[in-house]
Amino acid sequence: MTKKVYVYKSFERFWHWMQAILIIFLGFTGFEIHGSYSFFGFEEAVMYHNIAAYLFIILIVFAIFWHFTTGEWKQYIPTYKNIVAQVHYYFSGIFKNAPHPTKKTVLRKLNPMQKLTYFGLKILVIPLSVTSGLLYMLYRYPQRHEIKFLNIDSLEIIAIVHTVAAFFLVSFLIVHLYLITTGETITTNLKAMLTGYEELEHDDAEVLKLKENK
Amino acid sequence: MKKIIGSIGVLVLVIIVAIGTLTTKSSEETILDKLKNKYSEKHIASVDHSKFAELQKKFNSPREVTAECITCHNKRHEEVMHSNHWNWEREEYIEGRGIVSIGKKNIMNNFCIGTQGNEKSCAKCHIGYGMDEKGKSFTDANNIDCLVCHDNTETYAKAPNQGGAPLETLDFNKIAQNVGKPERTNCGVCHFFGGGGDNVKHGDLSSDMFYPNRDIDVHMDADGMDLQCVECHATNQHTIAGKMYSLSSMNHNRVFCEDCHTSTPHEKEILNEHTLKVACQTCHIPTYAKGKSTKMAWDWSTAGKLKNGEPYHEEDSLGNHTYLSIKGSFKWENNVKPEYQWFNGTASHYLEGDKIEDTTKSLVMNELHGSYSDSESKIIPVKVHRAIQPFDPENKILIQPKLYSDNKGEGAFWQDFNWETASIEGMKDSELPFSGKISFIKTEMNWPVNHQVSPAENSVQCAECHTRENSRLAELKDFYMPGRDYSKIVDYIGIWNIILSLVGIALHGSLRFYAARKLKNGVHKND
C-alpha cells in the first residue's frame, strides 16, 4: 500500500535547487577561467565566478545549520548494509523490473549508494572545492598576502586541487542527472524534489516513530 | 513549483550579474582628476633672461656663455659636475662585484659597442664641450654645456664629431636670453636618437615624442596633458630622477608610475591586486615603437662590405637602413609587443674586460634580476635588442673596436673597414688585451619599456595573458597563472572521467530501454 508522503521539506528543496544552479554556474565560469573555452570573457568570468562562490558559501552555511538543527545530517551516515544488493540492483535488477532493494522512507530517504556518494561530496569534494577556492581568491600573491603561515609559495597546488574537485563535480552531475530517472517511474524523483511529495510504501513502524517525535 | 524554482534560478543569476556590474561604478573624485588639475597649471618662468644686461654683450663661443651663467648661478656648475650626465659614470654596488664605478665610460652595449676611443664622436651627446680622444673635459667648469638642456628657442644644436661643441652658426645671444626649464626637445635631441638614429635604442623614445598624440603617449599628448620629461624625471640640484638599466644597476633613484597614480589606481579591486606583481607598464604599454621603427637586431659581422671601394647603404620601404658598410645589417620593427621579465630594480652588466663564461650562448649585456619568488620583483615589459658583435675568442672578452677617427689610416673601422686594425686600436685605447683573433658572438641587451603609455582603453586585456595560446607571458614559466596554466594529467583524467560517465549512462540507459521493451512485449505475449 502506498501513500503520498512529504519527503523533502521546503528549505531542503530550496537548498538543493539553489546549490544545483550555483554549482552549474560555478562550473561553467570556472572552466572558462581554467582556459577550456571562452564565453563571458576572462575578466567577467572571474568576477561572476567569485560572486557565485560567495553566494554558494552563504548557502552552505545555512544548509549546515539546517542539517544539524533538524537532525537530517543522520541521513548521510554511510552504511554497508544492503550496499551489495543496491549495486546488484543497478547492474541487474533494474533491467528485470525488480523492486528497489532499499525501501525509501521519510527517515531513510537515501539508499546506501546515495549515502556513500553524498557523504563523500559533503565531507570531501565540496570542502575541497570551497577551501581551495577560498585560498585561490585570498592567496593570489603569496609573498605579501596575509595568510603567510600557510607558507604555500605557488598557486599551482591550490589551482590543481580546485580543478580536481571541479572535474569530480562534473562527473557527479552527469551521473546524478541520469540516476534521477531510475525512480518508480522516470519522473518520480524529479517530481519529488520539485514538490516535496512522493508516493512511498506505508511503514507503520516509521509512522509511529514520527508520531512519537511530535 | 517548477515556475517558482525557475524564477529563483533566474533571480540568482540576475543578482550575480548585478553585483558584478554595480560594484565597479564609483563617483568620487579620483586621483586621476587631482593629477589632471595639478598638471593643467603650466610652469611660468620666474625671471626673463632677455632683460639681463650680462646677456646683452656679444658671445663668440659657447664657453663664454657658460662663464656668464656661472657668474649668477654660482653653485650650479658644482651640481652639474657631480651628475651622471656630466661624469658618464657613477659608483654603484653590484652583487658579486662590490662597489664599482660604472657608466658610459666602461659599460659596453650591443649598438655602437662603447665610447672608448670614440669619445670625440660620442660627445655629441655629452653635456660638455671639448672632449678629446682621452675623454678629457670633465674637470673644467667652463666646458659645461648649459644650453643643450636649457635652450628654449629650439635652435641649439651640437655639431657632429666635434667633441661636444655646438654648430658654429648659432646665435648664442638669442639662445642665452631665452633659457629656461628643459622641455621635451632638450632631452629628446639626445635621448630620442641614442644609438645613432631616431628611436634606434629605446624603442619607446623617438622623435614622435617631441609632439606625440594621445595614442602614442597619453601623458605627453601635445593636445592633452602635454607633460614634459622633467615632470616625471623630477630634478633636484641637477640630479635627475629615473635612470636606464642599460647603464645603472642599483635599485635607487627610480621613477615609478605609482609615485603619482598610487599602487591602487583602478576601480576594480582585482586589477589593484595585480600591482603587487605586475608593473603598470606591463598592461599600459601594449606596444612600443608606435610611430618610428626601432632597431631590433644588429649584425656587426656583415659590416665592411664595399661597392667599388666605397661604403654604401641599403634601406627598407620606410627609409630605415637595413645595411650600412660602417655598421652591418639591421632589423627594424614597428608596434612591437614587448617581451616580459621579472625585475626587482637591480641589474648586472658586462663591463669592459669581463671574461665571457660560455661563448656558445647569447651573452646578456645587462641582466635584469628578479623572479616570481622574489617579493620585490614585478613583471615589466622589455625591448630586447639582439646583436652579433666582435669578440676575442682567445681572451674571451668583447672587443671594443675603434670606430671613429677624423682621418683614414688611423685604424678606425668607419674609415678603413678593417676589423683587425680597428680592434688593435680600440683595445689599446681601452687598455685591454687583444690576441689578434676576431670572432663574432650573439649578445642581448634589455631595455625596459617605460614610455609611450597608451590610453586606458587600449591597455592589455586580461585574456592576452590569461590564455593557453599565445599568452604574452608565455615565457615567464616560474609561476602558475590561471587561464594559461593547467595540469595536463588532471585535465586528461578529468575529461576521460566525463567521457566514461557519459558512455556509462548511455549504455545503462539503452539497456534499460531495451529491457523495458522486452518485458512489455513479454507481458503482451503472455496475454
Side-chain angles (χ1 to χ4, degrees), chain B residues 462-478:
Chain B
C462 307
E464 291 183 51
C465 297
H466 293 279
T467 174
R468 290 187 183 185
E469 307 292 326
N470 300 321
S471 165
R472 279 182 183 252
L473 301 183
E475 295 302 312
L476 295 181
K477 297 187 178 89
D478 61 346

Side-chain angles (χ1 to χ4, degrees), chain A residues 13-14 17-18 21-22 25 31-36 40 42-44 46-52 55 89-91 94-97 136-137 139-145 153-157 159-160 163-164 167-168 170-172 174-175 178-179 181-183 186 190 193-195, chain B residues 1-2 5 8-10 12-13 15-21 23-24 268 270-271 273-278 372-378 461-463 466 468 479-487 490-491 494-495 497-498 501-502 504-512 515-516 519:
Chain A
R13 281 174 288 140
F14 165 78
W17 287 112
M18 198 59 89
I21 291 162
L22 286 171
F25 187 75
F31 276 101
E32 173 162 14
I33 297 165
H34 185 59
S36 304
F40 287 111
F42 189 84
E43 188 175 4
E44 275 69 25
V46 170
M47 186 171 69
Y48 295 148
H49 191 77
N50 287 353
I51 297 166
L55 292 178
Y89 170 76
Y90 281 127
F91 282 97
I94 192 166
F95 305 119
K96 296 171 186 158
N97 217 4
Y136 209 133
M137 278 196 269
Y139 210 83
R140 213 168 293 129
Y141 303 103
Q143 301 303 317
R144 288 198 187 163
H145 228 290
D153 55 9
S154 167
L155 192 59
E156 185 164 17
I157 185 74
I160 288 175
T163 313
V164 168
F167 273 121
F168 260 114
V170 174
S171 294
F172 164 78
I174 292 167
V175 178
Y178 172 69
L179 288 177
T181 66
T182 61
I186 282 178
L190 180 65
M193 194 46 93
L194 285 167
T195 60
Chain B
M1 197 63 204
K2 274 183 198 168
I5 283 156
I8 290 174
V10 172
V12 172
L13 294 181
I15 290 170
I16 293 174
V17 174
I19 295 175
T21 328
T23 48
T24 56
K268 287 181 186 163
I270 199 159
L271 295 181
E273 284 170 5
H274 278 71
T275 64
L276 283 173
K277 285 284 183 195
V278 183
Y372 171 76
S373 54
D374 171 9
S375 63
E376 297 302 314
S377 295
K378 290 187 185 190
Q461 299 300 298
C462 307
H466 293 279
R468 290 187 183 185
F479 69 106
Y480 183 97
M481 185 166 66
R484 179 191 71 171
D485 298 324
Y486 60 99
S487 158
V490 169
D491 266 39
I495 287 163
N497 205 22
I498 291 171
S501 305
L502 289 168
I505 64 167
L507 266 172
H508 198 270
S510 32
L511 274 174
R512 259 173 75 206
L519 274 174

Side-chain angles (χ1 to χ4, degrees), chain B residues 223-236:
Chain B
D223 298 323
M225 291 319 293
D226 199 20
L227 292 191
Q228 303 297 313
C229 306
V230 291
E231 273 160 326
C232 293
H233 294 277
T235 302
N236 184 19

Side-chain angles (χ1 to χ4, degrees), chain B residues 113 300 388-392 397-399 401 419 438-441:
Chain B
I113 300 177
W300 275 101
I388 296 170
Q389 66 190 87
F391 84 110
D392 178 338
I397 57 175
L398 286 185
I399 287 173
W419 276 119
I438 298 161
S439 190
F440 287 85
I441 185 170

Side-chain angles (χ1 to χ4, degrees), chain B residues 118-151:
Chain B
N118 305 305
E119 286 86 352
K120 230 177 143 178
S121 171
C122 298
K124 194 189 175 191
C125 278
H126 185 239
I127 55 160
Y129 309 124
M131 194 185 280
D132 66 8
E133 298 287 307
K134 293 276 167 282
K136 275 182 192 156
S137 101
F138 294 106
T139 52
D140 180 353
N142 285 341
N143 273 341
I144 295 172
D145 187 350
C146 306
L147 301 178
V148 70
C149 299
H150 292 284
D151 162 45

